[in-house]
Amino acid sequence: MNLQKIVDICNNYNNVVISGHIHPDGDCVGACYALAAILHKKGIEAKVALDDIPDTYSYLEGSSYLLKTIKKDIDVFISLDCGDKERLGNYSNMFDNAQVTINIDHHISNTKFAKYNHVLDVSSTCEIIYELIDDYSILDKNICEALYTGIIFDTGAFKHSNTTKRTHEIAGELIKYDIDFTEMTNRVFYYRSYNALKILSVAINNAKLYSENEIIVSTLTIEELKQNNCYKKDTDGIIQMLNEVIGTQCAVLITQITDNDYKVSLRSKNKVDVCKVAKKFSGGGHIKASGCTVSGTIKEVEEIIVNEIVKQL
Ligand SMILES: [Mn+2]
């Protein structure tokens, strides 16, 4: 697969839609916008079908490509950064009705659900999009910003183990286009609202250490969220901060979502496989970052999660 092959496929049809997984993240949004911009430069008026794009990415050019209403008569459907058809959410029907389907992704669990599948084990879908390009004179500042956003999002700003020499080389090429990588990194990872700062202080205050200081646990109740005019999304990033405490192996953030249900976020440094812990409660994720939902009282949830982690210490 390369860009020319995608262009050739699209040129045989009229309607081209690019989409990605539900609750789109930086890589998903960046990849969709970048590919749409590239295809437009090749004369293909591709539309982007994504819902609920976080405000974080409003600095990216690309909203003009967004599909306003769901269409039934799609010819080419290009799925980006999406491991399986179900994760296309509302757009999986559109995928089913398309004449040609293309799946470009970097999740090793990808089910290769399209006619054409291009799945590589690299940092991000944006890295794959960059590698698909045959003539780099097509790049411009907007495309580079979109691709850079996806790469920093999925690598945690070059911190995660999925970062390779090649990832850095690509980032090096992208910053030649005078993109403001400092501001983008701040927007993607660090800037937070005043309310989010307040709820962070509550979570820090509630943090306790368990099991010879190897587990740090914090909790947030609906009441605490309300008092600080916060929603669940304002708690993004808190779990990473808990995991930064020196000497701990594992961080847990328990956030109340209903009277009796709690969202449990888990992070680990090296020793603990938190995916194993999450799976015990029908959740999942990665070895170092996972999540699950557990019912009970806040005390009970805290206890059963800590007990589960202790088994691995
Ligand atoms: Mn991704």
Side-chain angles (χ1 to χ4, degrees):
M1 179 73 74
N2 58 24
L3 183 59
Q4 194 52 50
K5 175 145 190 200
I6 298 172
V7 170
D8 289 343
I9 292 169
C10 294
N11 273 333
N12 288 326
Y13 296 93
N14 291 317
N15 295 306
V16 178
V17 162
I18 303 167
S19 187
H21 62 77
I22 48 163
H23 310 303
D25 60 20
D27 186 33
C28 183
V29 177
C32 287
Y33 282 177
L35 185 59
I38 290 166
L39 291 180
H40 274 250
K41 284 192 163 184
K42 296 272 188 184
I44 295 154
E45 305 222 330
K47 288 284 177 199
V48 172
L50 287 177
D51 295 331
D52 308 320
I53 297 175
D55 287 343
T56 309
Y57 307 108
S58 58
Y59 65 87
L60 292 177
E61 288 288 329
S63 56
S64 60
Y65 304 130
L66 288 174
L67 191 69
K68 302 283 185 290
T69 47
I70 292 197
K71 284 188 182 174
K72 282 215 170 97
D73 54 341
I74 289 306
D75 297 320
V76 182
F77 191 106
I78 306 175
S79 168
L80 301 182
D81 199 41
C82 187
D84 58 68
K85 204 184 80 183
E86 287 63 46
R87 270 179 66 73
L88 289 169
N90 288 335
Y91 297 107
S92 65
N93 284 336
M94 226 155 90
F95 178 92
D96 286 333
N97 292 330
Q99 303 205 43
V100 184
T101 54
I102 302 173
N103 160 28
I104 300 169
D105 185 32
H106 70 118
H107 295 98
I108 41 165
S109 57
N110 190 290
T111 57
K112 313 221 166 133
F113 52 92
K115 180 170 195 284
Y116 299 97
N117 299 285
H118 186 61
V119 181
L120 297 175
D121 185 12
V122 295
S123 74
S124 52
T125 301
C126 281
E127 187 170 329
I128 301 178
I129 300 289
Y130 181 89
E131 299 283 30
L132 284 172
I133 300 170
D134 19 40
D135 176 2
Y136 286 99
S137 65
I138 201 162
L139 290 178
D140 60 29
K141 195 175 175 185
N142 292 339
I143 295 169
C144 290
E145 282 176 347
L147 293 175
Y148 193 87
T149 296
I151 290 173
I152 58 168
F153 182 86
D154 270 14
T155 61
F158 310 105
K159 213 168 67 174
H160 302 331
S161 58
N162 60 358
T163 307
T164 62
K165 174 172 172 277
R166 185 68 188 142
T167 313
H168 281 287
E169 284 166 358
I170 294 170
E173 292 301 316
L174 297 176
I175 67 170
K176 283 182 185 169
Y177 286 78
D178 200 27
I179 60 175
D180 192 346
F181 52 84
T182 306
E183 179 69 6
M184 281 195 278
T185 306
N186 279 332
R187 285 191 185 224
V188 172
F189 293 107
Y190 301 108
Y191 289 160
R192 58 178 88 236
S193 67
Y194 179 72
N195 289 344
L197 185 78
K198 288 299 197 186
I199 203 68
L200 169 65
S201 79
V202 176
I204 290 172
N205 236 335
N206 291 346
K208 280 170 284 184
L209 293 165
Y210 289 93
S211 187
E212 291 169 8
N213 302 341
E214 284 197 300
I215 308 172
I216 183 163
V217 180
S218 187
T219 55
L220 289 171
T221 62
I222 290 174
E223 193 51 39
E224 287 166 327
L225 288 166
K226 262 194 200 153
Q227 279 167 2
N228 292 282
N229 296 317
C230 282
Y231 300 97
K232 175 82 181 65
K233 69 171 171 55
D234 297 310
T235 65
D236 286 356
I238 294 178
I239 184 67
Q240 280 85 341
M241 292 192 86
L242 296 173
N243 199 35
E244 287 167 8
V245 172
I246 295 168
T248 63
Q249 285 299 334
C250 198
V252 183
L253 179 64
I254 301 168
T255 311
Q256 188 180 20
I257 44 178
T258 69
D259 270 356
N260 220 25
D261 296 310
Y262 295 85
K263 174 85 184 78
V264 178
S265 302
L266 300 152
R267 293 291 183 279
S268 90
K269 292 202 177 85
N270 291 307
K271 230 165 151 182
V272 179
D273 177 349
V274 287
C275 188
K276 248 188 192 170
V277 177
K279 276 184 178 161
K280 272 259 170 178
F281 307 97
S282 311
H286 308 274
I287 294 172
K288 292 184 177 180
S290 285
C292 54
T293 304
V294 184
S295 304
T297 66
I298 203 159
K299 267 264 117 312
E300 285 164 356
V301 174
E302 204 171 303
E303 206 174 296
I304 55 171
I305 292 290
V306 168
N307 286 341
E308 205 50 49
I309 297 167
V310 166
K311 288 179 189 171
Q312 291 189 49
L313 289 170

